[in-house]
Amino acid sequence: MTNCPTLIVTVGLPARGKTYISKKLTRYLNWIGVPTKEFNVGDYRRECLKIYKSFEFFRPDNEEGVKIRRQCAMSALNDVRQYLSVEGGQVAVFDATNTTRDRRGTIMKFAEQNGFKVFFVESVCEDPEVIAQNIVQVKLENPDYMNCSSEEAIEDFMERIKCYETSYQPLDEDLDSDVSYIKIMDVGRRYLVNRVVDHIQSRIVYYLMNIHITPRSIYLCRHGESDLNIKGRIGGDSGLSGRGKEFAKRLRNFLEEQNIKDLKIWTSQMKRTIQTAECLGVPYEQWKSLNEIDAGVCEEMMYEEIQEHFPLEFALRDQDKYRYRYPKGESYEDLVQRLEPVIMELERQENVLVICHQAIMRCLLAYFLDKTSHELPYLKCPLHTVLKLTPVAYGCKVESVYLGVESVNTHRDRPENVNVQRSTEDALQTVPAHL
Amino acid sequence: MSSTQRDSGASTNSTEAKKTDPRWNEKKCSWASYMTNSPTMIVMIGLPARGKTYMSKKLTRYLNWIGVPTKVFNLGVYRREAVRAYKSYDFFRHDNEEAMKIRKQCALVALQDVRVYLTEEGGQIAVFDATNTTRERRDLIQAFVKENGFKVFFVESVCDDPDVIAANILEVKVSSPDYPEKHRERVMEDFLKRIECYKVTYQLLDPDDYDKDLSFIKVINVGQRFLVNRVQDYIQSKIVYYLMNIHVHSHSIYLCRHGESNHNVEGRIGGDSELSPRGKQFAHALRDFIDEHKLSDLKVWTSQLRRTIQTAEELGVPYEQWKILNEIDAGVCEEMTYQMIQDSFPEEFALRDQDKYHYRYPGGESYQDLVQRLEPVIMELERQGNVLVICHQAVMRCLLAYFLDKGADDLPYMKCPLHTVLKLTPVAYGCKVEMFYLNVEAVNTHRDRPLGKNPRDSALIHRRNSYTPLSSHDQVKRPRLYSAGNQPWLPLAPTPSALMPERLQSQARTGGSCLSPCAKESTLMAAKKLVAVFASE
């Protein structure tokens, strides 16, 4: 059973955060390079039913409802099989209530037949405030409740939960002692972890134990404009230009205005981020893993020089910017790997400002905004602009704040011609202006 | 700062004594240390022979290695100090009033030592290794912790598998100072009665009611199951993660360096050169060595530098490349000989000798950086069974220091000669080491600690990054060497096999080098390549 695909199965009453966990976990696994997809049985049901009338559909004595729901689950499992066995997926997250032992037994049999490992993630919560908060945040926007008022929706949803409660069989220490699972209680106050069998499950457990839902914001920005930026050169370890220093001052004002509670500030170990943080006049922490991507032999070169000396490398990079590794340097893929501990720590923390670099910021942003490896290397992260990310519902709200200090543009779009035989002109088509 | 070492009552191992000083200097802190603010007391809970001391020592070793000053306070040691001769299990009967008084007294003395360690000696974590099975005792500890402003995290080990318990007793209790006569059956009998004494008053942690506000992890049946409650901070989360990844199954870890490389022969450090002829011979010898030892399911890991990859290629078995196993980056000194470094950067050369562990090459790394980067390797080695790690001198020193519990002072001077395989087997509370020299000659790349007492230069203490106001000049940044290079006509860079369905062969390719590209791409994986370097099960 080495390297076999994993089926993660959520368990829990409605409004316990199963979909929140599924989506977040899927986003994390994809970001670290493990092909993962979620399969939400509710979506299948909406596809099948088209119109949701009321909670009556979920009553355990509603025979037709039960039949349709089982069909939807089967349909979803078929798609899971397709994804894991045929399409090359590595992890599938089966997001449904799965509250009965019977249903879970069916799933485990399915997994065994197909050679998948199973790992259950159960969310147990009895705090009425948390449940109410969940309903307001995600259920009211749900297609099921498009045409009713908030009060009606809440009332109906509470009835829906009741339909499941009577038949709910939580994972049990004794009856389910041979099953691999994590039981999350009270939004992470307590965890019960049983029989973690392999590396990916251990990583999943570690991740789930580090996330929280306390409201907070993450601020991402680059260092102020540097001397090498002005010259159009990549990499290096130069200091701030005059405008860069001005940005640092404005950043300080911005933070004071925002009045952020217990803000932590992180920088890389390169001059330009450290100098930016120094201006803020508050303690900050340096992470080596936040250092800019190492451009190897191309360090401190202008794009024009790279084209002149390494036209082949330049073209290859344009062909697959995510995976391309500079000779004696790094790739975006390498970056993601070295940034994983940073992400884990960002998940644990509350309010944080990360002062980093273009490639780094793209990787971090891709994690929060669920961007693919194709989009990641072309995300726009201009100088002198702060991005404020606030987790909301299943995703992340982004606010972009330009601090009004001019700077060069360092963003190079993918040129049209990425052929290795292309002309210099074609290669340099998208190079931004510089001195 | 002073490091007044206590007598045997305080320290459990001889090595403990020399650790507190070099490990604590707040300006030299490791990242892990920075993230820990108030001192934390880890309190073990459990009946005898439940692996408390095993976990205490292992955890302490791990925390010290990642740079968080930690010390174990084993109550048994204090008790043996107070009651010179152990007679029998009667001492532990809960109705033995005089014994109870002595035992409580020992606990108080130990707690005082904990306080001194955490507040005056610069310790950050104290592991209180005792049974702590009653609420009364735990309440006492909590009052102590509150009074001193420490955090507390409980680790309870619960086990009802009689085989595991019997094995524990045989492995560590039979050789305990309490049983000098070592007559197995008698030891077993007495010890089992001792356990019974504790069972009478054992009050397990109650997560639902009495103990619901405490921070703790309950380890059940040697890691089959865990209950984790209210993890408060970064270091507790790392402790939980560590405890969830260790196991007690017997396995061996083999550490060796790549075969001798061309740079080695020339006396150059770093770089990405290929194996010399003798290096290739070593690779063959290594293959024979593996065959001889008949290791089942041996995993082989290398770095992403040519010399380790070439070594692994000869073994004819699947292997995985880890970028984080790459040799220490010597920055501006890459590919120089020591003579050249001394000529070009005499101040740097001197600084390095003063504090080799913390010294960071300009534009490069320090041993301290290495430890941080190697932490995932250690975590994965703990999870795995039999592994052979083919790496580099500095890297091997760091890994070895973890297994053999060597401090920052000793780590950079550990002897890791070429063409020698070290076999590490966990045994009792430590690690057995066997050294196998594979009989292929090689140059010696070891530079001993320079003689004479070098004053600790204050300039070094303030250097925390490659940019400092105190660095000697604006260096030209030399290209850092990471990969084995890219094959110009294949844009996909080599990646480790990790979680992919098919184990891939070597993927090192260089433009026109002798390495033959033999990567098999699973077509299913072409869409999204896997990045994780962690080994598969």
Side-chain angles (χ1 to χ4, degrees), chain A residues 2 33 173 189-191 193 195 199 287 325 328 333, chain B residues 31 207 224-226 228 230 380 480 486 530-531 537:
Chain A
T2 50
E173 267 182 47
R189 187 163 300 159
R190 199 189 311 167
Y191 304 91
V193 180
R195 293 198 186 263
H199 175 79
W287 290 71
R325 187 184 284 158
K328 304 188 176 175
E333 201 173 25
Chain B
W31 167 253
Q224 185 180 298
R225 198 178 337 138
F226 302 91
V228 181
R230 291 191 186 263
E380 198 48 33
R480 236 181 293 167
N486 297 313
L530 295 163
V531 164
E537 294 300 300

PDB file of all heavy atoms in Angstrom, chain A residues 2 33 173 189-191 193 195 199 287 325 328 333, chain B residues 31 207 224-226 228 230 380 480 486 530-531 537:
ATOM      1  N   THR A   2       1.954   1.233  -0.722  1.00  0.00           N
ATOM      2  CA  THR A   2       2.755   2.453  -0.739  1.00  0.00           C
ATOM      3  C   THR A   2       2.211   3.398  -1.785  1.00  0.00           C
ATOM      4  O   THR A   2       1.829   2.989  -2.870  1.00  0.00           O
ATOM      5  CB  THR A   2       4.206   2.133  -1.113  1.00  0.00           C
ATOM      6  OG1 THR A   2       4.205   1.325  -2.282  1.00  0.00           O
ATOM      7  CG2 THR A   2       4.895   1.403   0.009  1.00  0.00           C
ATOM      8  N   GLY A  33       1.637  20.885  -3.659  1.00  0.00           N
ATOM      9  CA  GLY A  33       1.944  20.034  -4.800  1.00  0.00           C
ATOM     10  C   GLY A  33       1.312  18.651  -4.781  1.00  0.00           C
ATOM     11  O   GLY A  33       1.720  17.789  -5.551  1.00  0.00           O
ATOM     12  N   GLU A 173     -14.348   5.724  20.051  1.00  0.00           N
ATOM     13  CA  GLU A 173     -13.022   5.223  20.412  1.00  0.00           C
ATOM     14  C   GLU A 173     -12.934   3.714  20.354  1.00  0.00           C
ATOM     15  O   GLU A 173     -11.909   3.165  19.967  1.00  0.00           O
ATOM     16  CB  GLU A 173     -12.674   5.663  21.830  1.00  0.00           C
ATOM     17  CG  GLU A 173     -11.908   6.957  21.873  1.00  0.00           C
ATOM     18  CD  GLU A 173     -11.534   7.361  23.278  1.00  0.00           C
ATOM     19  OE1 GLU A 173     -11.030   6.496  24.019  1.00  0.00           O
ATOM     20  OE2 GLU A 173     -11.760   8.533  23.618  1.00  0.00           O
ATOM     21  N   ARG A 189     -10.375  23.162  19.920  1.00  0.00           N
ATOM     22  CA  ARG A 189      -9.932  23.197  21.314  1.00  0.00           C
ATOM     23  C   ARG A 189      -9.326  21.839  21.682  1.00  0.00           C
ATOM     24  O   ARG A 189      -8.356  21.743  22.420  1.00  0.00           O
ATOM     25  CB  ARG A 189     -11.100  23.496  22.230  1.00  0.00           C
ATOM     26  CG  ARG A 189     -10.669  23.705  23.659  1.00  0.00           C
ATOM     27  CD  ARG A 189     -11.746  24.383  24.432  1.00  0.00           C
ATOM     28  NE  ARG A 189     -12.058  25.672  23.847  1.00  0.00           N
ATOM     29  CZ  ARG A 189     -13.204  26.309  24.048  1.00  0.00           C
ATOM     30  NH1 ARG A 189     -14.148  25.765  24.781  1.00  0.00           N
ATOM     31  NH2 ARG A 189     -13.426  27.480  23.498  1.00  0.00           N
ATOM     32  N   ARG A 190      -9.923  20.781  21.111  1.00  0.00           N
ATOM     33  CA  ARG A 190      -9.429  19.453  21.432  1.00  0.00           C
ATOM     34  C   ARG A 190      -9.446  18.581  20.192  1.00  0.00           C
ATOM     35  O   ARG A 190     -10.295  18.752  19.311  1.00  0.00           O
ATOM     36  CB  ARG A 190     -10.330  18.835  22.507  1.00  0.00           C
ATOM     37  CG  ARG A 190      -9.655  17.689  23.225  1.00  0.00           C
ATOM     38  CD  ARG A 190     -10.604  16.946  24.108  1.00  0.00           C
ATOM     39  NE  ARG A 190     -11.358  17.843  24.962  1.00  0.00           N
ATOM     40  CZ  ARG A 190     -12.428  17.453  25.637  1.00  0.00           C
ATOM     41  NH1 ARG A 190     -12.855  16.220  25.567  1.00  0.00           N
ATOM     42  NH2 ARG A 190     -13.073  18.311  26.378  1.00  0.00           N
ATOM     43  N   TYR A 191      -8.492  17.651  20.134  1.00  0.00           N
ATOM     44  CA  TYR A 191      -8.416  16.729  18.997  1.00  0.00           C
ATOM     45  C   TYR A 191      -8.233  15.319  19.496  1.00  0.00           C
ATOM     46  O   TYR A 191      -7.517  15.080  20.454  1.00  0.00           O
ATOM     47  CB  TYR A 191      -7.192  17.039  18.116  1.00  0.00           C
ATOM     48  CG  TYR A 191      -7.131  18.449  17.617  1.00  0.00           C
ATOM     49  CD1 TYR A 191      -6.468  19.422  18.349  1.00  0.00           C
ATOM     50  CD2 TYR A 191      -7.741  18.809  16.409  1.00  0.00           C
ATOM     51  CE1 TYR A 191      -6.413  20.720  17.904  1.00  0.00           C
ATOM     52  CE2 TYR A 191      -7.678  20.106  15.967  1.00  0.00           C
ATOM     53  CZ  TYR A 191      -7.022  21.064  16.711  1.00  0.00           C
ATOM     54  OH  TYR A 191      -6.974  22.341  16.267  1.00  0.00           O
ATOM     55  N   VAL A 193      -6.851  11.864  17.810  1.00  0.00           N
ATOM     56  CA  VAL A 193      -6.229  11.375  16.589  1.00  0.00           C
ATOM     57  C   VAL A 193      -6.017   9.875  16.731  1.00  0.00           C
ATOM     58  O   VAL A 193      -5.410   9.426  17.686  1.00  0.00           O
ATOM     59  CB  VAL A 193      -4.864  12.057  16.348  1.00  0.00           C
ATOM     60  CG1 VAL A 193      -4.225  11.547  15.076  1.00  0.00           C
ATOM     61  CG2 VAL A 193      -5.041  13.558  16.308  1.00  0.00           C
ATOM     62  N   ARG A 195      -4.729   6.252  14.907  1.00  0.00           N
ATOM     63  CA  ARG A 195      -4.093   5.444  13.854  1.00  0.00           C
ATOM     64  C   ARG A 195      -3.692   6.211  12.594  1.00  0.00           C
ATOM     65  O   ARG A 195      -4.134   5.860  11.492  1.00  0.00           O
ATOM     66  CB  ARG A 195      -4.999   4.275  13.465  1.00  0.00           C
ATOM     67  CG  ARG A 195      -5.152   3.260  14.576  1.00  0.00           C
ATOM     68  CD  ARG A 195      -5.678   1.959  13.996  1.00  0.00           C
ATOM     69  NE  ARG A 195      -5.956   1.026  15.065  1.00  0.00           N
ATOM     70  CZ  ARG A 195      -5.127   0.070  15.459  1.00  0.00           C
ATOM     71  NH1 ARG A 195      -3.939  -0.058  14.884  1.00  0.00           N
ATOM     72  NH2 ARG A 195      -5.459  -0.746  16.447  1.00  0.00           N
ATOM     73  N   HIS A 199       2.651   9.316   5.928  1.00  0.00           N
ATOM     74  CA  HIS A 199       3.149  10.678   5.940  1.00  0.00           C
ATOM     75  C   HIS A 199       2.073  11.704   5.635  1.00  0.00           C
ATOM     76  O   HIS A 199       1.958  12.719   6.324  1.00  0.00           O
ATOM     77  CB  HIS A 199       4.289  10.800   4.926  1.00  0.00           C
ATOM     78  CG  HIS A 199       4.784  12.174   4.786  1.00  0.00           C
ATOM     79  ND1 HIS A 199       5.633  12.758   5.688  1.00  0.00           N
ATOM     80  CD2 HIS A 199       4.503  13.126   3.884  1.00  0.00           C
ATOM     81  CE1 HIS A 199       5.856  13.996   5.321  1.00  0.00           C
ATOM     82  NE2 HIS A 199       5.198  14.250   4.234  1.00  0.00           N
ATOM     83  N   TRP A 287      13.040  35.977   8.709  1.00  0.00           N
ATOM     84  CA  TRP A 287      12.971  34.589   8.275  1.00  0.00           C
ATOM     85  C   TRP A 287      13.863  34.429   7.057  1.00  0.00           C
ATOM     86  O   TRP A 287      13.640  35.088   6.035  1.00  0.00           O
ATOM     87  CB  TRP A 287      11.578  34.216   7.793  1.00  0.00           C
ATOM     88  CG  TRP A 287      10.491  34.124   8.767  1.00  0.00           C
ATOM     89  CD1 TRP A 287       9.885  35.138   9.424  1.00  0.00           C
ATOM     90  CD2 TRP A 287       9.798  32.939   9.146  1.00  0.00           C
ATOM     91  NE1 TRP A 287       8.865  34.655  10.191  1.00  0.00           N
ATOM     92  CE2 TRP A 287       8.774  33.311  10.030  1.00  0.00           C
ATOM     93  CE3 TRP A 287       9.932  31.583   8.797  1.00  0.00           C
ATOM     94  CZ2 TRP A 287       7.903  32.373  10.600  1.00  0.00           C
ATOM     95  CZ3 TRP A 287       9.045  30.657   9.364  1.00  0.00           C
ATOM     96  CH2 TRP A 287       8.059  31.071  10.263  1.00  0.00           C
ATOM     97  N   ARG A 325      13.947  26.068 -13.151  1.00  0.00           N
ATOM     98  CA  ARG A 325      14.924  26.380 -12.105  1.00  0.00           C
ATOM     99  C   ARG A 325      16.118  27.058 -12.745  1.00  0.00           C
ATOM    100  O   ARG A 325      16.759  26.506 -13.647  1.00  0.00           O
ATOM    101  CB  ARG A 325      15.355  25.106 -11.395  1.00  0.00           C
ATOM    102  CG  ARG A 325      16.239  25.347 -10.168  1.00  0.00           C
ATOM    103  CD  ARG A 325      16.704  24.037  -9.567  1.00  0.00           C
ATOM    104  NE  ARG A 325      15.662  23.372  -8.816  1.00  0.00           N
ATOM    105  CZ  ARG A 325      15.654  22.067  -8.556  1.00  0.00           C
ATOM    106  NH1 ARG A 325      16.600  21.307  -9.019  1.00  0.00           N
ATOM    107  NH2 ARG A 325      14.685  21.535  -7.855  1.00  0.00           N
ATOM    108  N   LYS A 328      21.902  26.739 -11.113  1.00  0.00           N
ATOM    109  CA  LYS A 328      22.497  27.038  -9.813  1.00  0.00           C
ATOM    110  C   LYS A 328      21.606  27.931  -8.952  1.00  0.00           C
ATOM    111  O   LYS A 328      22.072  28.583  -8.042  1.00  0.00           O
ATOM    112  CB  LYS A 328      23.876  27.673  -9.978  1.00  0.00           C
ATOM    113  CG  LYS A 328      24.774  26.778 -10.796  1.00  0.00           C
ATOM    114  CD  LYS A 328      26.200  27.244 -10.831  1.00  0.00           C
ATOM    115  CE  LYS A 328      27.022  26.205 -11.608  1.00  0.00           C
ATOM    116  NZ  LYS A 328      28.371  26.574 -11.814  1.00  0.00           N
ATOM    117  N   GLU A 333       8.707  26.361  -7.778  1.00  0.00           N
ATOM    118  CA  GLU A 333       8.347  25.105  -7.102  1.00  0.00           C
ATOM    119  C   GLU A 333       9.197  24.913  -5.847  1.00  0.00           C
ATOM    120  O   GLU A 333       8.713  24.519  -4.796  1.00  0.00           O
ATOM    121  CB  GLU A 333       8.589  23.961  -8.083  1.00  0.00           C
ATOM    122  CG  GLU A 333       7.828  22.710  -7.765  1.00  0.00           C
ATOM    123  CD  GLU A 333       7.981  21.682  -8.866  1.00  0.00           C
ATOM    124  OE1 GLU A 333       8.992  21.719  -9.600  1.00  0.00           O
ATOM    125  OE2 GLU A 333       7.093  20.839  -8.994  1.00  0.00           O
TER     126      GLU A 333
ATOM    127  N   TRP B  31      15.580  30.133  15.469  1.00  0.00           N
ATOM    128  CA  TRP B  31      14.227  30.574  15.174  1.00  0.00           C
ATOM    129  C   TRP B  31      13.239  29.970  16.169  1.00  0.00           C
ATOM    130  O   TRP B  31      12.383  30.660  16.708  1.00  0.00           O
ATOM    131  CB  TRP B  31      13.844  30.169  13.745  1.00  0.00           C
ATOM    132  CG  TRP B  31      12.393  30.304  13.496  1.00  0.00           C
ATOM    133  CD1 TRP B  31      11.481  29.305  13.382  1.00  0.00           C
ATOM    134  CD2 TRP B  31      11.652  31.522  13.404  1.00  0.00           C
ATOM    135  NE1 TRP B  31      10.219  29.838  13.191  1.00  0.00           N
ATOM    136  CE2 TRP B  31      10.300  31.173  13.204  1.00  0.00           C
ATOM    137  CE3 TRP B  31      11.989  32.865  13.463  1.00  0.00           C
ATOM    138  CZ2 TRP B  31       9.290  32.134  13.042  1.00  0.00           C
ATOM    139  CZ3 TRP B  31      10.982  33.813  13.310  1.00  0.00           C
ATOM    140  CH2 TRP B  31       9.657  33.438  13.104  1.00  0.00           C
ATOM    141  N   PRO B 207     -10.454  14.840  30.355  1.00  0.00           N
ATOM    142  CA  PRO B 207     -10.629  15.952  29.417  1.00  0.00           C
ATOM    143  C   PRO B 207     -12.026  16.538  29.425  1.00  0.00           C
ATOM    144  O   PRO B 207     -12.227  17.657  28.974  1.00  0.00           O
ATOM    145  CB  PRO B 207     -10.326  15.321  28.054  1.00  0.00           C
ATOM    146  CG  PRO B 207     -10.432  13.867  28.243  1.00  0.00           C
ATOM    147  CD  PRO B 207     -10.267  13.541  29.671  1.00  0.00           C
ATOM    148  N   GLN B 224      -0.823   4.820  19.186  1.00  0.00           N
ATOM    149  CA  GLN B 224      -1.925   4.386  18.326  1.00  0.00           C
ATOM    150  C   GLN B 224      -2.961   5.493  18.251  1.00  0.00           C
ATOM    151  O   GLN B 224      -3.533   5.769  17.207  1.00  0.00           O
ATOM    152  CB  GLN B 224      -2.538   3.139  18.933  1.00  0.00           C
ATOM    153  CG  GLN B 224      -3.606   2.508  18.082  1.00  0.00           C
ATOM    154  CD  GLN B 224      -4.120   1.279  18.807  1.00  0.00           C
ATOM    155  OE1 GLN B 224      -3.371   0.344  19.049  1.00  0.00           O
ATOM    156  NE2 GLN B 224      -5.370   1.318  19.179  1.00  0.00           N
ATOM    157  N   ARG B 225      -3.155   6.152  19.396  1.00  0.00           N
ATOM    158  CA  ARG B 225      -4.157   7.202  19.455  1.00  0.00           C
ATOM    159  C   ARG B 225      -3.651   8.352  20.308  1.00  0.00           C
ATOM    160  O   ARG B 225      -2.839   8.155  21.212  1.00  0.00           O
ATOM    161  CB  ARG B 225      -5.433   6.623  20.090  1.00  0.00           C
ATOM    162  CG  ARG B 225      -6.643   7.465  19.806  1.00  0.00           C
ATOM    163  CD  ARG B 225      -7.942   6.895  20.370  1.00  0.00           C
ATOM    164  NE  ARG B 225      -7.949   5.496  20.609  1.00  0.00           N
ATOM    165  CZ  ARG B 225      -8.478   4.930  21.700  1.00  0.00           C
ATOM    166  NH1 ARG B 225      -9.038   5.673  22.619  1.00  0.00           N
ATOM    167  NH2 ARG B 225      -8.465   3.633  21.845  1.00  0.00           N
ATOM    168  N   PHE B 226      -4.104   9.565  19.997  1.00  0.00           N
ATOM    169  CA  PHE B 226      -3.709  10.740  20.768  1.00  0.00           C
ATOM    170  C   PHE B 226      -4.924  11.587  21.063  1.00  0.00           C
ATOM    171  O   PHE B 226      -5.796  11.753  20.217  1.00  0.00           O
ATOM    172  CB  PHE B 226      -2.739  11.620  19.960  1.00  0.00           C
ATOM    173  CG  PHE B 226      -1.502  10.914  19.525  1.00  0.00           C
ATOM    174  CD1 PHE B 226      -1.458  10.277  18.297  1.00  0.00           C
ATOM    175  CD2 PHE B 226      -0.379  10.893  20.338  1.00  0.00           C
ATOM    176  CE1 PHE B 226      -0.318   9.621  17.878  1.00  0.00           C
ATOM    177  CE2 PHE B 226       0.773  10.236  19.921  1.00  0.00           C
ATOM    178  CZ  PHE B 226       0.798   9.596  18.694  1.00  0.00           C
ATOM    179  N   VAL B 228      -5.520  15.471  22.118  1.00  0.00           N
ATOM    180  CA  VAL B 228      -4.793  16.721  22.285  1.00  0.00           C
ATOM    181  C   VAL B 228      -5.762  17.794  22.736  1.00  0.00           C
ATOM    182  O   VAL B 228      -6.792  18.009  22.113  1.00  0.00           O
ATOM    183  CB  VAL B 228      -4.139  17.152  20.947  1.00  0.00           C
ATOM    184  CG1 VAL B 228      -3.359  18.432  21.120  1.00  0.00           C
ATOM    185  CG2 VAL B 228      -3.249  16.046  20.419  1.00  0.00           C
ATOM    186  N   ARG B 230      -6.290  21.855  23.973  1.00  0.00           N
ATOM    187  CA  ARG B 230      -5.882  23.244  24.191  1.00  0.00           C
ATOM    188  C   ARG B 230      -4.393  23.528  24.013  1.00  0.00           C
ATOM    189  O   ARG B 230      -3.730  24.010  24.934  1.00  0.00           O
ATOM    190  CB  ARG B 230      -6.281  23.690  25.604  1.00  0.00           C
ATOM    191  CG  ARG B 230      -7.777  23.809  25.779  1.00  0.00           C
ATOM    192  CD  ARG B 230      -8.084  24.497  27.102  1.00  0.00           C
ATOM    193  NE  ARG B 230      -9.500  24.500  27.370  1.00  0.00           N
ATOM    194  CZ  ARG B 230     -10.306  25.505  27.120  1.00  0.00           C
ATOM    195  NH1 ARG B 230      -9.835  26.622  26.574  1.00  0.00           N
ATOM    196  NH2 ARG B 230     -11.599  25.425  27.392  1.00  0.00           N
ATOM    197  N   GLU B 380      11.026  13.238   9.456  1.00  0.00           N
ATOM    198  CA  GLU B 380      10.698  12.124   8.590  1.00  0.00           C
ATOM    199  C   GLU B 380      11.511  10.887   8.955  1.00  0.00           C
ATOM    200  O   GLU B 380      11.029   9.774   8.863  1.00  0.00           O
ATOM    201  CB  GLU B 380      10.907  12.524   7.129  1.00  0.00           C
ATOM    202  CG  GLU B 380      10.218  11.628   6.142  1.00  0.00           C
ATOM    203  CD  GLU B 380       8.761  11.331   6.466  1.00  0.00           C
ATOM    204  OE1 GLU B 380       8.068  12.203   7.029  1.00  0.00           O
ATOM    205  OE2 GLU B 380       8.312  10.206   6.182  1.00  0.00           O
ATOM    206  N   ARG B 480      24.807  30.577  -5.936  1.00  0.00           N
ATOM    207  CA  ARG B 480      24.641  29.480  -5.010  1.00  0.00           C
ATOM    208  C   ARG B 480      24.417  28.214  -5.800  1.00  0.00           C
ATOM    209  O   ARG B 480      23.747  28.237  -6.825  1.00  0.00           O
ATOM    210  CB  ARG B 480      23.445  29.746  -4.102  1.00  0.00           C
ATOM    211  CG  ARG B 480      23.810  29.703  -2.661  1.00  0.00           C
ATOM    212  CD  ARG B 480      22.601  29.935  -1.802  1.00  0.00           C
ATOM    213  NE  ARG B 480      22.103  31.280  -1.944  1.00  0.00           N
ATOM    214  CZ  ARG B 480      20.909  31.643  -1.487  1.00  0.00           C
ATOM    215  NH1 ARG B 480      20.120  30.775  -0.940  1.00  0.00           N
ATOM    216  NH2 ARG B 480      20.498  32.870  -1.615  1.00  0.00           N
ATOM    217  N   ASN B 486      20.107  21.985 -15.150  1.00  0.00           N
ATOM    218  CA  ASN B 486      18.932  21.643 -15.949  1.00  0.00           C
ATOM    219  C   ASN B 486      19.356  21.124 -17.298  1.00  0.00           C
ATOM    220  O   ASN B 486      20.274  21.636 -17.920  1.00  0.00           O
ATOM    221  CB  ASN B 486      18.075  22.888 -16.181  1.00  0.00           C
ATOM    222  CG  ASN B 486      17.564  23.417 -14.870  1.00  0.00           C
ATOM    223  OD1 ASN B 486      17.077  22.659 -14.065  1.00  0.00           O
ATOM    224  ND2 ASN B 486      17.691  24.701 -14.676  1.00  0.00           N
ATOM    225  N   LEU B 530       4.726  16.870  -8.311  1.00  0.00           N
ATOM    226  CA  LEU B 530       4.680  16.934  -6.864  1.00  0.00           C
ATOM    227  C   LEU B 530       5.945  17.567  -6.331  1.00  0.00           C
ATOM    228  O   LEU B 530       7.041  17.241  -6.739  1.00  0.00           O
ATOM    229  CB  LEU B 530       4.510  15.525  -6.298  1.00  0.00           C
ATOM    230  CG  LEU B 530       3.168  14.959  -6.699  1.00  0.00           C
ATOM    231  CD1 LEU B 530       3.146  13.470  -6.515  1.00  0.00           C
ATOM    232  CD2 LEU B 530       2.063  15.605  -5.893  1.00  0.00           C
ATOM    233  N   VAL B 531       5.753  18.448  -5.391  1.00  0.00           N
ATOM    234  CA  VAL B 531       6.870  19.200  -4.857  1.00  0.00           C
ATOM    235  C   VAL B 531       7.430  18.597  -3.582  1.00  0.00           C
ATOM    236  O   VAL B 531       8.591  18.659  -3.317  1.00  0.00           O
ATOM    237  CB  VAL B 531       6.417  20.649  -4.567  1.00  0.00           C
ATOM    238  CG1 VAL B 531       7.395  21.350  -3.661  1.00  0.00           C
ATOM    239  CG2 VAL B 531       6.260  21.396  -5.865  1.00  0.00           C
ATOM    240  N   GLU B 537       5.625   6.213   2.468  1.00  0.00           N
ATOM    241  CA  GLU B 537       5.646   5.071   3.392  1.00  0.00           C
ATOM    242  C   GLU B 537       6.052   3.837   2.616  1.00  0.00           C
ATOM    243  O   GLU B 537       5.660   3.646   1.481  1.00  0.00           O
ATOM    244  CB  GLU B 537       4.251   4.855   3.984  1.00  0.00           C
ATOM    245  CG  GLU B 537       3.854   6.021   4.857  1.00  0.00           C
ATOM    246  CD  GLU B 537       4.804   6.232   6.030  1.00  0.00           C
ATOM    247  OE1 GLU B 537       4.937   5.319   6.836  1.00  0.00           O
ATOM    248  OE2 GLU B 537       5.442   7.290   6.090  1.00  0.00           O
TER     249      GLU B 537
END
